[in-house]
Amino acid sequence: MVSEMQVGVITQTHGIKGEVKVFPTTDDVNRFKKLKEVIMDTGRERINLEIEGVKFFKQYAILKFKGYDSINDIEKYKSAKLYIKREQAVKLKKDEYFIADLIDMEVVTEDGEYFGKMKDVLTTGANDVYIVTRQDGTEVLLPAIKQCVKSIDMEQGRITVHIMDGLI
Protein backbone atom coordinates (compact mmCIF):
# COMPACT_ATOMS: atom_id res chain seq x y z
CA MET A 1 0.00 0.00 0.00
CA VAL A 2 1.17 3.50 -0.75
CA SER A 3 2.40 5.54 2.21
CA GLU A 4 1.55 8.93 0.68
CA MET A 5 -1.41 10.00 -1.38
CA GLN A 6 -1.66 12.82 -3.88
CA VAL A 7 -4.33 15.41 -3.06
CA GLY A 8 -3.60 18.10 -5.62
CA VAL A 9 -1.38 19.88 -8.13
CA ILE A 10 -0.40 23.56 -7.99
CA THR A 11 -1.63 25.07 -11.25
CA GLN A 12 -0.67 28.72 -10.80
CA THR A 13 -0.25 31.55 -8.35
CA HIS A 14 -3.28 33.40 -7.06
CA GLY A 15 -2.79 37.09 -6.33
CA ILE A 16 0.46 38.54 -5.03
CA LYS A 17 0.44 37.38 -1.39
CA GLY A 18 1.84 33.88 -1.90
CA GLU A 19 -1.40 31.99 -2.51
CA VAL A 20 -1.62 29.19 -5.07
CA LYS A 21 -4.45 27.70 -7.08
CA VAL A 22 -4.57 23.93 -6.58
CA PHE A 23 -6.34 21.45 -8.83
CA PRO A 24 -7.64 18.79 -6.42
CA THR A 25 -6.87 15.13 -7.18
CA THR A 26 -9.04 14.05 -4.27
CA ASP A 27 -12.77 13.28 -4.49
CA ASP A 28 -13.74 16.11 -2.15
CA VAL A 29 -12.20 19.58 -2.58
CA ASN A 30 -13.52 20.53 0.88
CA ARG A 31 -10.96 18.06 2.20
CA PHE A 32 -8.42 20.89 2.17
CA LYS A 33 -10.30 22.65 5.01
CA LYS A 34 -9.27 19.86 7.39
CA LEU A 35 -5.63 19.57 6.30
CA LYS A 36 -2.96 21.29 8.37
CA GLU A 37 0.02 20.31 6.25
CA VAL A 38 1.00 18.83 2.90
CA ILE A 39 4.18 17.57 1.27
CA MET A 40 5.12 19.41 -1.92
CA ASP A 41 7.04 17.40 -4.51
CA THR A 42 8.78 19.65 -7.04
CA GLY A 43 10.46 16.76 -8.84
CA ARG A 44 13.81 17.81 -7.37
CA GLU A 45 12.89 18.17 -3.71
CA ARG A 46 10.14 17.43 -1.20
CA ILE A 47 9.08 20.22 1.14
CA ASN A 48 6.78 19.92 4.16
CA LEU A 49 4.37 22.86 4.11
CA GLU A 50 2.03 24.14 6.81
CA ILE A 51 -1.32 25.31 5.44
CA GLU A 52 -2.15 28.77 6.75
CA GLY A 53 -5.33 29.45 4.80
CA VAL A 54 -7.84 27.76 2.48
CA LYS A 55 -10.37 29.33 0.11
CA PHE A 56 -12.23 27.95 -2.87
CA PHE A 57 -12.69 29.23 -6.41
CA LYS A 58 -14.79 27.17 -8.85
CA GLN A 59 -13.37 23.62 -8.65
CA TYR A 60 -10.02 24.81 -7.25
CA ALA A 61 -8.68 25.17 -3.74
CA ILE A 62 -6.72 28.36 -3.05
CA LEU A 63 -4.02 27.58 -0.50
CA LYS A 64 -1.73 29.85 1.50
CA PHE A 65 1.37 28.24 3.01
CA LYS A 66 3.08 29.54 6.13
CA GLY A 67 6.32 31.35 5.28
CA TYR A 68 5.40 31.97 1.65
CA ASP A 69 4.12 35.54 1.66
CA SER A 70 4.66 36.84 -1.86
CA ILE A 71 4.16 35.72 -5.43
CA ASN A 72 7.97 35.59 -5.76
CA ASP A 73 8.24 33.01 -2.95
CA ILE A 74 5.77 30.58 -4.52
CA GLU A 75 5.87 31.20 -8.29
CA LYS A 76 8.58 28.60 -8.96
CA TYR A 77 6.36 25.81 -7.60
CA LYS A 78 3.82 25.75 -10.45
CA SER A 79 3.03 22.14 -11.43
CA ALA A 80 4.31 20.77 -8.09
CA LYS A 81 2.30 17.87 -6.70
CA LEU A 82 0.87 17.96 -3.19
CA TYR A 83 0.75 14.83 -1.03
CA ILE A 84 -0.46 13.84 2.40
CA LYS A 85 0.69 11.00 4.64
CA ARG A 86 -1.58 7.98 4.56
CA GLU A 87 -2.59 8.59 8.19
CA GLN A 88 -4.15 11.90 7.09
CA ALA A 89 -6.31 10.20 4.45
CA VAL A 90 -10.06 10.00 4.86
CA LYS A 91 -11.38 6.88 6.55
CA LEU A 92 -12.80 4.39 4.10
CA LYS A 93 -16.06 2.50 4.51
CA LYS A 94 -16.32 -1.25 4.03
CA ASP A 95 -15.57 -2.25 0.42
CA GLU A 96 -14.03 1.16 -0.39
CA TYR A 97 -10.45 1.43 -1.61
CA PHE A 98 -8.02 4.13 -2.59
CA ILE A 99 -7.36 4.09 -6.33
CA ALA A 100 -3.61 4.35 -5.67
CA ASP A 101 -3.78 1.04 -3.77
CA LEU A 102 -5.58 -0.74 -6.65
CA ILE A 103 -3.12 0.29 -9.38
CA ASP A 104 -0.83 -2.57 -10.50
CA MET A 105 -2.87 -5.25 -8.71
CA GLU A 106 -3.16 -8.60 -10.46
CA VAL A 107 -6.60 -9.27 -11.94
CA VAL A 108 -7.73 -12.92 -12.13
CA THR A 109 -10.95 -14.60 -13.24
CA GLU A 110 -13.16 -16.63 -10.92
CA ASP A 111 -11.39 -19.75 -12.26
CA GLY A 112 -8.07 -18.36 -11.00
CA GLU A 113 -6.76 -17.57 -14.50
CA TYR A 114 -4.57 -14.50 -14.91
CA PHE A 115 -6.62 -11.83 -16.71
CA GLY A 116 -4.39 -8.74 -16.55
CA LYS A 117 -3.06 -5.92 -14.41
CA MET A 118 -5.07 -3.00 -12.99
CA LYS A 119 -3.93 0.12 -14.83
CA ASP A 120 -6.33 2.82 -13.64
CA VAL A 121 -9.84 3.62 -12.46
CA LEU A 122 -12.32 5.84 -14.28
CA THR A 123 -14.74 7.54 -11.93
CA THR A 124 -18.09 7.95 -13.61
CA GLY A 125 -21.40 9.15 -12.26
CA ALA A 126 -22.95 5.71 -11.79
CA ASN A 127 -20.05 3.44 -10.86
CA ASP A 128 -16.29 3.29 -11.23
CA VAL A 129 -14.78 1.48 -14.19
CA TYR A 130 -11.55 -0.51 -13.83
CA ILE A 131 -9.07 -0.27 -16.71
CA VAL A 132 -7.24 -3.60 -16.95
CA THR A 133 -4.26 -4.13 -19.27
CA ARG A 134 -4.10 -7.64 -20.75
CA GLN A 135 -0.84 -9.46 -21.50
CA ASP A 136 -1.14 -8.57 -25.20
CA GLY A 137 -1.31 -4.86 -24.29
CA THR A 138 -5.03 -4.42 -24.96
CA GLU A 139 -7.18 -2.69 -22.39
CA VAL A 140 -10.47 -3.99 -21.04
CA LEU A 141 -12.96 -1.81 -19.16
CA LEU A 142 -14.64 -3.60 -16.26
CA PRO A 143 -17.50 -2.00 -14.34
CA ALA A 144 -16.76 -1.94 -10.61
CA ILE A 145 -20.05 -3.58 -9.66
CA LYS A 146 -20.72 -6.65 -7.50
CA GLN A 147 -21.74 -8.75 -10.53
CA CYS A 148 -18.30 -8.18 -12.08
CA VAL A 149 -15.83 -7.58 -9.22
CA LYS A 150 -16.10 -10.59 -6.94
CA SER A 151 -13.37 -9.79 -4.42
CA ILE A 152 -10.41 -7.53 -3.72
CA ASP A 153 -7.61 -9.01 -1.63
CA MET A 154 -5.31 -6.16 -0.61
CA GLU A 155 -2.83 -8.49 1.14
CA GLN A 156 -2.42 -10.74 -1.91
CA GLY A 157 -2.61 -7.79 -4.34
CA ARG A 158 -5.32 -9.58 -6.30
CA ILE A 159 -8.71 -8.65 -7.72
CA THR A 160 -11.02 -11.54 -8.69
CA VAL A 161 -13.52 -10.75 -11.43
CA HIS A 162 -16.40 -12.36 -13.31
CA ILE A 163 -16.18 -11.57 -17.02
CA MET A 164 -19.73 -10.72 -18.00
CA ASP A 165 -20.98 -11.61 -21.48
CA GLY A 166 -20.13 -8.91 -24.01
CA LEU A 167 -17.28 -7.32 -22.05
CA ILE A 168 -14.51 -8.74 -24.21
Side-chain angles (χ1 to χ4, degrees):
M1 284 195 224
V2 293
S3 60
E4 294 178 347
M5 310 187 89
Q6 186 178 338
V7 291
V9 178
I10 296 174
T11 60
Q12 62 189 54
T13 58
H14 182 80
I16 60 169
K17 296 182 179 171
E19 292 177 314
V20 291
K21 191 183 283 188
V22 174
F23 179 78
T25 56
T26 177
D27 288 346
D28 182 10
V29 71
N30 291 310
R31 169 108 184 67
F32 286 97
K33 284 189 224 173
K34 296 180 181 119
L35 288 177
K36 296 189 181 348
E37 59 189 18
V38 292
I39 303 161
M40 179 172 58
D41 186 342
T42 67
R44 291 182 306 281
E45 61 182 333
R46 297 171 65 77
I47 304 167
N48 290 322
L49 298 171
E50 188 177 331
I51 297 175
E52 198 173 80
V54 179
K55 298 187 286 194
F56 299 98
F57 177 73
K58 295 185 180 174
Q59 79 267 32
Y60 296 95
I62 308 296
L63 301 184
K64 168 75 175 72
F65 302 118
K66 188 172 188 176
Y68 294 84
D69 298 319
S70 81
I71 190 171
N72 299 329
D73 294 341
I74 202 79
E75 196 169 32
K76 61 186 170 199
Y77 298 121
K78 286 184 203 167
S79 301
K81 294 176 181 170
L82 301 177
Y83 293 87
I84 58 170
K85 290 186 172 84
R86 186 176 193 90
E87 306 83 67
Q88 296 171 285
V90 294
K91 300 294 178 240
L92 296 174
K93 296 179 186 132
K94 185 181 184 307
D95 294 332
E96 285 186 334
Y97 304 92
F98 291 114
I99 291 173
D101 290 340
L102 297 175
I103 303 298
D104 290 334
M105 286 183 81
E106 178 180 271
V107 180
V108 297
T109 64
E110 294 168 293
D111 305 329
E113 287 183 44
Y114 180 81
F115 184 75
K117 197 170 259 322
M118 176 72 93
K119 179 183 176 190
D120 206 352
V121 178
L122 292 174
T123 52
T124 67
N127 56 268
D128 289 347
V129 176
Y130 293 173
I131 303 172
V132 179
T133 304
R134 305 289 313 264
Q135 281 184 309
D136 64 6
T138 59
E139 290 182 352
V140 176
L141 303 178
L142 299 176
I145 55 176
K146 286 190 186 328
Q147 297 92 319
C148 189
V149 178
K150 293 302 179 184
S151 68
I152 296 177
D153 185 335
M154 296 305 290
E155 288 182 19
Q156 295 291 318
R158 181 176 298 138
I159 301 170
T160 303
V161 297
H162 166 74
I163 305 302
M164 298 165 64
D165 290 342
L167 277 180
I168 303 178

